[in-house]
């Protein structure tokens, strides 16, 4: 299931940092490595995982490659969250009622 791939990819703190950097705009791998203490091969591996999870896509211009957030992956996350959005208001209302009953 692709949702599992998305959450597995984001479970790694380095990949989350890469994803957050890309949220500000398109970058190449060298720019993504700025401020991070990882090798070029490690960055390539992290980008590969993010691409496989459809969180990041690449755009090639000749021999140059830029990476950007892939909206398809964001849609998967949003869809997953939507399933639980309806759950929480009812649970919070039940908790509010319980606390009200306990206070009396």
């Amino acid at each position: 299931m692709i949702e599992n791939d998305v959450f597995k990819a984001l479970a790694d703190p380095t990949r989350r940092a890469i994803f957050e950097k890309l949220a500000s705009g398109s970058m190449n791998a060298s720019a993504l490595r700025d401020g991070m203490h990882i090798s070029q091969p490690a960055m390539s591996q992290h980008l590969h995982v993010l691409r496989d999870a459809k969180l990041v896509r690449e755009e090639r211009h000749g021999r140059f490659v830029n990476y950007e957030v892939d909206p398809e992956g964001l849609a998967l996350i949003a869809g997953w969250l939507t399933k639980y959005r309806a759950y929480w208001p009812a649970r919070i209302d039940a908790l509010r009622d319980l606390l009200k009953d306990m206070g009396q």
Side-chain angles (χ1 to χ4, degrees), residues 58-101:
E58 63 181 47
E59 186 176 318
R60 294 188 174 271
H61 300 282
R63 62 186 183 125
F64 299 102
V65 180
N66 281 330
Y67 298 90
E68 60 189 17
V69 170
D70 188 339
E72 185 176 340
L74 292 176
L76 288 169
I77 293 169
W80 185 85
L81 289 171
T82 298
K83 290 189 259 183
Y84 299 98
R85 221 175 247 139
Y87 171 79
W88 286 109
R91 301 299 300 162
I92 291 170
D93 289 343
L95 178 59
R96 185 180 304 121
D97 292 343
L98 176 65
L99 292 173
K100 210 182 282 183
D101 289 345

Side-chain angles (χ1 to χ4, degrees), residues 15-63:
R15 286 193 287 270
R16 279 195 311 274
I18 293 166
F19 186 76
E20 288 173 16
K21 277 185 154 188
L22 288 172
S24 66
S26 177
M27 289 184 207
N28 63 32
S30 295
L32 284 168
R33 283 184 52 222
D34 284 347
M36 301 179 85
H37 300 290
I38 62 172
S39 66
Q40 185 277 325
M43 176 59 76
S44 293
Q45 289 175 344
H46 286 301
L47 287 168
H48 179 78
V49 171
L50 290 167
R51 278 193 320 270
D52 284 352
K54 299 197 184 318
L55 289 167
V56 169
R57 63 183 175 194
E58 63 181 47
E59 186 176 318
R60 294 188 174 271
H61 300 282
R63 62 186 183 125

